[in-house]
Amino acid sequence: MKVSEHVSKLAASATLAVSAKAAAMKGRGIDVVSLAAGEPDFDTPQHIKDAGIRAIQEGQTKYSKPASGLPAVKEAICRKLRRENGLEYSPDQVIVTAGAKNAVQLAMMAVLNPGDEMILPVPYWVSYPEQAKMAGAVSRLVEGRQECNFEPTIEQLAEVVTSRTRMLVLNSPSNPGGFVYSPSKIREIAEFLKGREIAVLSDEIYDRLLYGEAEHLSIASVNDEVYSKTITIGGGSKTYSMTGWRIGFAAGPEAIIKGMAKMQSQRSSGAATFTQIAFAEALNADQACVEDMRVEFAKRGAHMAGRLSAMAGVECLTPAGAFYCFPNVSGTYERLGVSGSLAFADKVIEEAHVAVVPGVAFGNDAHVRFSFATSMEQIDKGLDRLEKMLG
């Protein structure tokens, strides 16, 4: 039996592939330091776990009613968006999903038709172009440059707009880049979109993880027009270390959210009820746990960037958000005898036993992604090995 063309055209997640290889090597007794996965090493805060446990014990184990999300959870999301993002949404403009990745996919399916085009700044999260393919859409790439904080210029955006353009993807703070779009850049983009029938998918899953002087501005808050065509994505995985809980959300135009809810009712029947209740607790409770994790991530990111920058042939910006460094390692390729980021990452895991994600998976073959969502001890252990390998 042959698989469908839809499946044949898709690439597997490079992040998960690297994690799987690291796990297989560990299974053979090899001590691999994984600096690949975007998963916080912190446990889910206890009060959030307790809320989920209580929900299970109280029988909150049936289908979500409605499938688009429990009313109390939608209200908690609305309060979060008002409090932290300056966004006013009603519960009818919110959908709760089984992970933010699912929210992104539903949003693309609700907006994009086969043959439509989606503007995608580089570097991008590995799943965006593949999810666009599932909708039958084509990604038009806009190359960001490290010296410009990877922010696309308005001229670059204008060059790729066509009559088929239906969506622009923004991801700030960025995975994999660790950068944050400046408020002035966000306002520039909002101005560029005036009068254009282009939806904005604004993935703000890392919006609470900001370092130094970085400021996060939700594009939907800039003006009424861009608000009317923006789908804002968020969730619990990164902010509250809830990756395994699979809980995310989208907020946006009611017609789009209803379309997403219709699809979700046919695909998954919604996120698990006890997971939703735990997420509501996360959003409504004291936020000190978020600050504790943010402060620790800031230390790790600055430390990792400093060490990477000191290595021969490596250039690395200090991350302003999320929990990734995205250094340019192309200066090491000739010396290591490799031709690109995939070969670099392969050599590093095979010889130094350190797992990193090749930048080609994010659209930039000169870079690789290092995650600092692990302990400082593991970070230094991995960087010591890399430093020794690079000489």
Side-chain angles (χ1 to χ4, degrees):
M1 291 292 290
K2 293 182 178 180
V3 299
S4 70
E5 289 184 15
H6 296 295
V7 173
S8 298
K9 292 177 181 177
L10 294 179
S13 168
T15 308
L16 296 181
V18 171
S19 296
K21 182 169 183 176
M25 291 175 69
K26 287 180 180 180
R28 300 198 304 270
I30 301 171
D31 178 25
V32 176
V33 176
S34 181
L35 301 179
E39 183 170 43
D41 62 320
F42 299 105
D43 193 9
T44 304
Q46 189 63 45
H47 64 286
I48 300 173
K49 292 196 292 185
D50 289 343
I53 292 167
R54 280 196 307 272
I56 293 171
Q57 291 173 335
E58 292 168 4
Q60 299 290 344
T61 57
K62 307 299 182 183
Y63 288 128
S64 175
K65 301 178 182 69
S68 60
L70 302 176
V73 183
K74 291 183 179 182
E75 290 169 4
I77 291 167
C78 288
R79 286 192 293 272
K80 172 265 187 291
L81 290 169
R82 184 182 309 117
R83 179 178 72 236
E84 297 167 6
N85 303 78
L87 295 171
E88 196 67 44
Y89 287 106
S90 69
D92 288 341
Q93 293 175 281
V94 174
I95 181 172
V96 186
T97 60
K101 181 181 285 189
N102 196 27
V104 171
Q105 177 67 77
L106 290 171
M108 289 187 184
M109 294 295 291
V111 172
L112 298 170
N113 288 309
D116 283 348
E117 295 179 355
M118 181 182 82
I119 300 174
L120 185 58
V122 178
Y124 49 74
W125 177 49
V126 294
S127 293
Y128 295 140
E130 305 311 310
Q131 290 178 330
K133 287 178 188 176
M134 292 184 204
V138 177
S139 296
R140 297 293 299 273
L141 305 183
V142 176
E143 298 282 344
R145 295 182 303 173
Q146 180 170 291
E147 59 268 28
C148 299
N149 195 40
F150 294 107
E151 294 180 342
T153 66
I154 298 304
E155 291 74 22
Q156 285 179 305
L157 296 178
E159 285 175 4
V160 298
V161 170
T162 74
S163 61
R164 300 295 296 171
T165 305
R166 294 290 178 269
M167 178 175 279
L168 165 66
V169 175
L170 297 178
N171 174 213
S172 178
S174 165
N175 173 10
F179 60 86
V180 178
Y181 282 101
S182 66
S184 61
K185 177 58 68 174
I186 291 293
R187 293 188 182 96
E188 276 185 20
I189 294 172
E191 183 66 26
F192 167 76
L193 292 168
K194 277 189 177 179
R196 300 179 190 268
E197 291 297 316
I198 300 174
V200 181
L201 192 152
S202 186
D203 187 347
E204 304 180 19
I205 187 74
Y206 296 96
D207 66 348
R208 301 288 300 280
L209 301 179
L210 300 169
Y211 317 126
E213 302 300 315
E215 296 179 55
H216 174 73
L217 178 65
S218 294
I219 192 167
S221 70
V222 173
N223 60 52
D224 290 343
E225 183 183 341
V226 75
Y227 171 88
S228 72
K229 53 192 178 188
T230 297
I231 305 147
T232 302
I233 305 293
S237 291
K238 315 303 181 179
T239 301
Y240 300 103
S241 195
M242 295 179 71
T243 49
W245 295 75
R246 306 316 302 136
I247 189 75
F249 69 83
E254 190 171 345
I256 298 299
I257 297 300
K258 283 184 175 179
M260 293 169 65
K262 187 189 299 185
M263 284 187 287
Q264 177 157 279
S265 73
Q266 297 290 1
R267 292 176 62 158
S268 68
S269 298
T273 50
F274 51 88
T275 294
Q276 292 187 56
I277 291 166
F279 185 46
E281 172 67 17
L283 295 173
N284 291 332
D286 187 286
Q287 300 295 294
C289 60
V290 178
E291 180 62 10
D292 290 344
M293 287 187 278
R294 188 199 68 80
V295 168
E296 182 59 28
F297 283 138
K299 292 177 184 175
R300 295 176 184 180
H303 179 74
M304 176 179 277
R307 288 205 59 184
L308 286 168
S309 295
M311 295 183 191
V314 179
E315 299 175 3
C316 185
L317 296 177
T318 300
F323 35 65
Y324 309 105
C325 286
F326 195 57
N328 185 326
V329 295
S330 61
T332 70
Y333 289 173
E334 184 177 355
R335 181 155 41 90
L336 294 178
V338 301
S339 56
S341 61
L342 189 60
F344 175 93
D346 225 26
K347 194 174 186 70
V348 168
I349 196 170
E350 291 291 344
E351 297 186 11
H353 299 160
V354 177
V356 298
V357 186
V360 68
F362 308 104
N364 192 319
D365 202 27
H367 293 248
V368 293
R369 192 189 77 174
F370 288 74
S371 170
F372 50 86
T374 188
S375 69
M376 193 74 84
E377 179 185 5
Q378 285 295 103
I379 289 169
D380 275 333
K381 185 177 181 180
L383 294 180
D384 285 347
R385 293 179 181 183
L386 181 63
E387 190 173 55
K388 183 178 180 181
M389 176 180 166
L390 294 180

